[in-house]
Amino acid sequence: MTTDVTLISSSIVRPQIINQQGREKIHLTPFDLNFLYVDYTQRGLLFPKPDPETHFISRLKTSLSSALDIYFPFAGRLSKVENHEDETVSFYIDCNGSGATFIHAVAESVSVSDLLQPDGSVPDFSRIFYPMNGVKSIDGVSEPLLALQVTEIRDGVFIGFGYNHMVADGASIWNFFKTWSKICSNGQPENLQPLALKGWFVDGMDFPIHIPVSETETSPPSNELSPTFKERVFHFTKKNISDLKAKVISQIGSSDHKVSSLQAVSAHMWRSIIRHSGLNQEEKTRCFVAVDLRQRLNPPLEKECFGHVIYNAIATTTVGELQGQGLGWAFLQINNMLRSLTNEDYRIWAENWVRNMKIQKSGLGSKMTRDSVIVSSSPWFEVYDNDFGWGKPIAVRAGPSNSISGKLVFFRGIEEGCIDVHAFLLSDVLVKLLADVEFLENVANV
């Protein structure tokens, strides 16, 4: 399908109130700085078609300006400081009110049915609905930290966005969207609280962190052909999830573990994907899980505080054990890993990062093509509650940034109790997965 997108306008939207005196400077933790070369995170919401008489584009821009008054870090820029005394550089977020990018576009040949395939397949052209393709966190020195693209299609509107992951995590970006949509729909709510920043939470560590100049230099592009990835959205109904949880409980034979939907589905995806990855039985396989640290730190941070407060926890085993021990065992590897995490683990990781100073340069590692899965986002994010005044979203999607095989972006489904997993997989792995009876019996849309 040939798809043309017509750019109507592109502008910078600034906060209504810019306080240049005593403006915030947000220092970056090791957890933030490790994302210097990670692509901007991209997400998108598909909405029904609004009435043109509502002038929704101007309303979106005006309300965005008000929302940036509250979520002012998104209107800032990344600032780089050269430390000549020790040949290092430092970074911080300068909340200078420079603004966010707002793009208005039209794709008249695209309809909702083109984007929402019954089998969950994701059309290749969908990437044109997301801004900030190929932009990395370090580019925030000159690029906005948040960009939004509102694309009108034949019978709907797609709001795609890209944001700098060093500034915010999933919890923060969706809280921003909730506020923005409320302002757009109802005007300025009176009960909005001032933004609570995460602050500096790595005790005993000096900031700003000095990074050797060599670690901020990138290698020339490789001449190797990039692997071919395919995207698929797998829909797990409430019954699918209930069946998976029942299977886990029957296999672990213990009531000591609370079986969460996220962990049960993650274990199922991990086993199923690795089964078709062509690895030897003795090879290692890993399941990365993005963990929100806010309530896990000691002392804990405010539950709704703004920032990037994510730690990538890892469950590791061999391919043979993962396939031979069953779903319940795979669940326990994830569950026990998450339950065992302590404040000490985060502190040690941060100290080691500063001591060794190795910034990941692509995704979560160049070998992350067949041996691992990466669980990101969360079905707890209230993505379907974002009503800008013409109806709630009818779908949520992940953009193409940071595409590595095994990336699994979890969203709540549009029906209560359901989960959608937006998966990025090598083409040959996906083909085998779609012929796997054990996998398919617990998925609704394939």
Side-chain angles (χ1 to χ4, degrees), residues 1 8 30 48 66 79 108 112 117 119 121 142 155 194 205 218 237 267 273 295 305-306 330 376 386 394 397 407 437:
M1 178 179 178
I8 304 300
S66 297
S79 185
E108 295 178 346
V112 168
Q117 301 290 329
D119 62 358
S121 57
S142 55
D155 52 355
M205 186 176 293
T218 56
T237 65
I273 290 169
Q295 297 295 294
C305 71
F306 179 90
S376 62
N386 296 297
I394 54 179
R397 291 291 184 263
K407 186 176 85 166
V437 175

Side-chain angles (χ1 to χ4, degrees), residues 32 71 180 266 304 312-313 328 374 402 422 430 433 446:
D32 305 325
Y71 286 83
W180 179 26
S266 296
E304 299 292 327
N312 284 314
I374 305 97
N402 298 308
H422 192 140
L430 179 60
L433 193 63
V446 290

